[in-house]
């Protein structure tokens, strides 16, 4: 089994103990990761704190370092992508997209400026609004896009002048450890530390006095714990949490064409995307054709081990997530919903679940009300679009949503009524490095990406020079 190491103060470190990492396509442990001790975390945080003193001073150097990070990722993409497929489950071409996307994010972030606004400059005073870095950032990531979501934090945090200690999910620690290993030759010691371990390691980071900011992506439940743990010493927070994105279809669309686009945005990454479509509202008149088309697409999807050619979606990432999807679909079935296709395990090893379309289901059923985070899509019929909007909003979730219509103006108006961080029209999952992304309500606090995301790794300092 290959040996993966943490990166602490620019050096490789193993730990006294390690934990197994399972390939979700086989259900077998295929590698192991170090289980970071208290003492090692302490050293990682202290190293980040020391490195911060010099790192924060030279913006031009940081900008160049980000470009070097991008180049280093591109050069080692051939190693990172299959590793990502093995630990996460996604098809190899999608893994390669995530790796290349990570390089693009570094490149784009390097192009952002850190603004200094002069709000007064006259005989009496010069007043500048500057952006200072915060210090050490604790970055905590989930298992669905371990590499990219880590880079969404690392790149802007570093550009702004912070240093980072990153902790990936115990289900997918390896690409993050590998990334930090690759970047050892690019970044000064201590600027990026990567530690691996269980959930308690995340809790140690959030409770520790050194990090001045926690940038967290994960579930709402854990996000609330992170917020509570950050409160005693008022750490700054960005929380990117769960979603239950509605897609509202209007009555004027071609059901087949719209079903194809909705399907792609619901089943990408085996449905394991925070802002995937997780419930679809369809007018009664179009209900059958939309459901039938979705079911045909689900049946045609090639599910398998992501390392095999032609596979379109892989397994669920882990056993608890598999059990959760199964439980929600079984609950829908028990409550009278119609499983149009899927609704069962595929094979007897790994965590493969058949792409599932659930019809004749309504709000109040767990599969509609909760975040399934898997390949099972409920389709709900509506009579009045006002009802669909109300139901779409009747939730604590508020990540994103979409409206589908040939009447773009009408759809845009409805999109504006959705209580969420991103409201798409005739598209979904359209994310890019220059577009801010974040959740309303319980789906998050703050945003990532673009200049808005960068500013989240800074705080304002007013420099007010009296001239009189
Ligand atoms: P999770 O909350 O279980 O874990 C996320 C990370 O938090 C992991 O690294 C975990 O080890 C760590 N953690 C667990 N307990 C902790 C604690 N008490 N203190 C600090 N850290 C702790 O989430 P998950 O199951 O890995 O990911 C799936 C969830 O993430 C879904 O809800 C999904 O919607 C959400 N997500 C959101 C976004 C977004 O940008 N909004 C993106 C991807 C995933």
């Amino acid at each position: 089994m290959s040996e993966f190491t943490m990166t602490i103060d620019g050096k490789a470190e193993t730990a006294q103990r390690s934990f197994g990492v399972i390939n979700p396509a086989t259900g077998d442990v295929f590698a192991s990761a170090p289980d970071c001790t208290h003492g090692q975390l302490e050293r990682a945080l202290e190293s980040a704190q020391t490195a911060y003193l010099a790192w924060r001073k030279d913006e031009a150097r940081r900008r160049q370092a980000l470009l070097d990070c991008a180049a280093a990722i591109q050069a080692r993409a051939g190693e990172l992508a299959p590793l990502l497929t093995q630990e996460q489950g996604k098809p190899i071409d999608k893994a390669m997209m995530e790796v290349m996307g990570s390089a693009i994010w570094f490149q784009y972030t390097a192009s952002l400026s850190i603004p200094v606004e002069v709000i007064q400059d006259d005989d009496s005073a010069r007043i500048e609004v500057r952006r200072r870095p915060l210090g050490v950032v604790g970055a905590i990531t989930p298992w669905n896009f371990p590499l990219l979501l880590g880079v969404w934090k690392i790149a802007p945090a570093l550009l702004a002048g912070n240093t980072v200690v990153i902790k990936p999910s115990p289900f997918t620690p390896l690409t993050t450890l590998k990334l930090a290993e690759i970047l050892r030759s690019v970044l000064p010691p201590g600027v990026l530390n990567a530690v691996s371990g269980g959930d308690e390691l995340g809790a140690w980071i959030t409770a520790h006095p050194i990090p001045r900011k926690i940038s967290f992506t994960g579930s709402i439940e854990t996000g609330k714990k992170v917020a509570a743990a950050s409160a005693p010493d008022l750490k700054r927070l960005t929380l990117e949490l769960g979603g239950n994105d509605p897609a509202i279809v209007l009555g004027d669309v071609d059901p087949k064409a719209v079903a194809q686009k909705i399907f792609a945005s619901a089943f990408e990454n085996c449905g394991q995307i925070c802002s995937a479509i997780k419930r679809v509202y369809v007018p009664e008149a179009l209900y059958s054709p939309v459901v039938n088309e979705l079911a045909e697409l689900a049946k045609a999807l090639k599910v398998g081990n992501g390392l095999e050619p032609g596979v379109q979606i892989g397994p669920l990432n882990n056993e608890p997530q598999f059990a959760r999807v199964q439980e929600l679909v079984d609950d829908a079935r028990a409550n009278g919903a119609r499983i149009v296709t899927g609704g069962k395990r595929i094979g007897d090893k790994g965590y493969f679940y058949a792409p599932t379309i659930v019809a004749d289901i309504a709000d109040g059923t767990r599969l509609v009300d909760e975040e399934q985070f898997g390949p099972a899509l409920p389709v709900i019929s509506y009579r009045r679009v006002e009802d669909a909007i109300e139901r779409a909003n009747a939730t604590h979730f508020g990540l994103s949503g979409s409206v589908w219509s040939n009447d773009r103006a009408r759809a845009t108006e409805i999109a504006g009524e959705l209580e969420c961080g991103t409201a798409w029209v005739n598209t979904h999952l359209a994310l890019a490095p220059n577009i801010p992304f974040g959740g309303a309500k319980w789906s998050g606090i703050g945003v990532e990406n673009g200049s808005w995301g960068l500013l989240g790794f800074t705080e304002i300092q007013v420099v007010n020079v009296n001239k009189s």
Side-chain angles (χ1 to χ4, degrees):
M1 251 189 293
S2 7
E3 176 105 336
F4 290 86
T5 53
M6 301 188 288
T7 299
I8 298 176
D9 199 30
K11 293 185 274 301
E13 285 210 22
T14 55
Q16 288 150 357
R17 295 189 321 169
S18 59
F19 60 95
V21 180
I22 291 174
N23 178 341
T26 63
D28 297 330
V29 170
F30 77 102
S32 65
D35 195 0
C36 184
T37 64
H38 252 297
Q40 286 176 310
L41 176 65
E42 194 67 38
R43 281 193 289 105
L45 289 166
E46 281 169 8
S47 160
Q49 195 170 38
T50 306
Y52 171 64
L53 301 176
W55 183 250
R56 53 169 297 200
K57 290 206 169 124
D58 189 346
E59 189 182 322
R61 179 185 183 202
R62 299 199 298 268
R63 219 169 272 292
Q64 183 56 48
L66 259 58
L67 296 174
D68 295 344
C69 288
I73 291 173
Q74 282 164 339
R76 303 282 289 274
E79 260 171 88
L80 285 162
L83 185 61
L84 181 55
T85 294
Q86 282 171 283
E87 70 170 351
Q88 205 288 325
K90 65 188 65 190
I92 185 74
D93 55 331
K94 299 293 167 92
M96 188 53 91
M97 280 168 69
E98 182 171 342
V99 173
M100 289 312 192
S102 303
I104 288 169
W105 244 267
F106 265 114
Q107 278 165 344
Y108 171 77
T109 308
S111 75
L112 291 174
S113 57
I114 302 168
V116 177
E117 290 168 71
V118 179
I119 55 172
Q120 185 182 334
D121 193 12
D122 56 23
D123 292 345
S124 63
R126 178 179 169 89
I127 306 175
E128 290 179 0
V129 179
R130 296 188 188 169
R131 296 284 175 163
R132 283 167 53 85
L134 295 160
V136 176
V137 171
I140 301 175
T141 49
W143 44 257
N144 59 340
F145 286 83
L147 195 66
L148 186 63
L149 296 179
V151 170
W152 282 20
K153 302 178 187 315
I154 296 168
L158 295 190
L159 182 71
N162 308 279
T163 54
V164 172
V165 175
I166 187 165
K167 187 212 87 71
S169 164
F171 293 113
T172 53
L174 304 178
T175 41
T176 305
L177 294 178
K178 181 57 85 180
L179 173 72
E181 180 195 317
I182 291 169
L183 299 185
R184 272 178 219 152
S185 61
V186 173
L187 297 168
V191 165
L192 174 64
N193 302 271
V195 292
S196 51
D199 292 348
E200 69 289 348
L201 180 60
W204 296 347
I205 295 173
T206 54
H208 198 284
I210 286 183
R212 291 312 309 145
K213 168 156 183 146
I214 302 295
S215 181
F216 172 84
T217 303
S219 63
I220 289 174
E221 196 188 349
T222 311
K224 288 181 184 177
K225 289 185 198 161
V226 169
S230 302
D233 62 355
L234 298 176
K235 290 185 181 73
R236 277 39 177 171
L237 276 180
T238 299
L239 300 177
E240 293 287 359
L241 308 179
N244 190 11
D245 285 15
I248 301 179
V249 176
L250 302 192
D252 64 349
V253 300
D254 169 14
K256 195 167 172 151
V258 161
Q260 284 171 358
K261 290 184 182 156
I262 286 179
F263 185 82
S265 298
F267 287 83
E268 181 68 35
N269 209 40
C270 199
Q272 302 164 118
I273 305 186
C274 52
S275 53
I277 293 176
K278 296 191 176 126
R279 47 195 173 125
V280 190
Y281 292 92
V282 181
E284 274 179 353
L286 296 184
Y287 191 72
S288 289
V290 169
V291 167
N292 292 342
E293 181 62 19
L294 289 170
E296 289 313 308
L297 293 164
K299 284 181 208 157
L301 208 59
K302 187 167 179 210
V303 185
N305 185 328
L307 290 177
E308 285 163 17
V311 163
Q312 292 170 297
I313 65 167
L316 284 148
N317 172 258
N318 56 70
E319 206 281 326
Q321 188 57 31
F322 179 89
R324 177 168 169 75
V325 171
Q326 196 166 41
E327 183 184 315
L328 291 182
V329 174
D330 289 349
D331 174 80
R333 187 189 278 121
N335 281 288
R338 178 162 58 97
I339 312 300
V340 189
T341 185
K344 58 179 188 303
R345 176 176 212 130
I346 302 178
D348 53 7
K349 65 183 176 92
Y351 311 127
F352 294 100
Y353 196 80
T356 301
I357 301 295
V358 182
D360 303 340
I361 186 168
D363 302 76
T365 311
R366 289 183 62 201
L367 184 63
V368 179
D369 294 355
E370 298 180 21
E371 183 186 34
Q372 68 275 47
F373 216 60
L377 184 65
V379 191
I380 307 124
S381 79
Y382 74 82
R383 278 203 185 136
R384 295 170 55 248
V385 72
E386 292 75 15
D387 287 343
I389 299 167
E390 198 179 309
R391 286 189 252 162
N393 287 335
T395 170
H396 285 300
F397 293 99
L399 194 54
S400 28
S402 53
V403 184
W404 301 77
S405 171
N406 288 324
D407 183 345
R408 222 181 285 145
R410 173 91 180 104
T412 306
E413 197 182 302
I414 293 171
E417 289 183 44
L418 295 180
E419 296 166 359
C420 57
T422 303
W424 284 291
V425 171
N426 294 334
T427 188
H428 204 106
L429 283 180
L431 302 168
N434 60 335
I435 306 174
F437 177 71
K441 302 199 261 184
W442 287 9
S443 287
I445 294 177
V447 296
E448 297 194 291
N449 300 333
S451 50
W452 302 268
L454 173 66
L455 295 186
F457 287 100
T458 67
E459 58 194 357
I460 283 177
Q461 181 186 43
V462 176
V463 176
N464 186 333
V465 181
N466 180 10
K467 293 189 189 170
S468 61

